[in-house]
Amino acid sequence: MQKIIIPVLVALSLAACSSTERGATVGAAGGAIIGGAATGNLRGAAVGAAVGGVSGALIGSVADQPGQCYYRDRNGNRYIDRC
């Protein structure tokens, strides 16, 4: 029963978030799982969660702007422009 209730509660809690917040949450969770699996320790999971959270927030922020895409210039600076 808990295997059903927990995912439903997580899905309901994310339903009220903006796409930036959802992107950050999903990115942090995925990054923590991948970082923990790759390194086998808590530090790797924490770094993965941080990187995933920032990446997910950036991707999620573009989702609120239809017709806009996320790019990098040759100096590595991020910017949003028309697709």
Side-chain angles (χ1 to χ4, degrees), residues 24-53:
T25 303
V26 171
I33 291 169
I34 293 170
T39 62
N41 61 33
L42 184 62
R43 183 177 290 167
V47 170
V51 171

Side-chain angles (χ1 to χ4, degrees), residues 58-71 79-83:
L58 288 172
I59 292 169
S61 69
V62 174
D64 284 337
Q65 304 168 7
Q68 301 291 315
C69 291
Y70 168 76
Y71 297 100
Y79 66 96
I80 298 172
D81 200 3
R82 289 186 187 150
C83 294

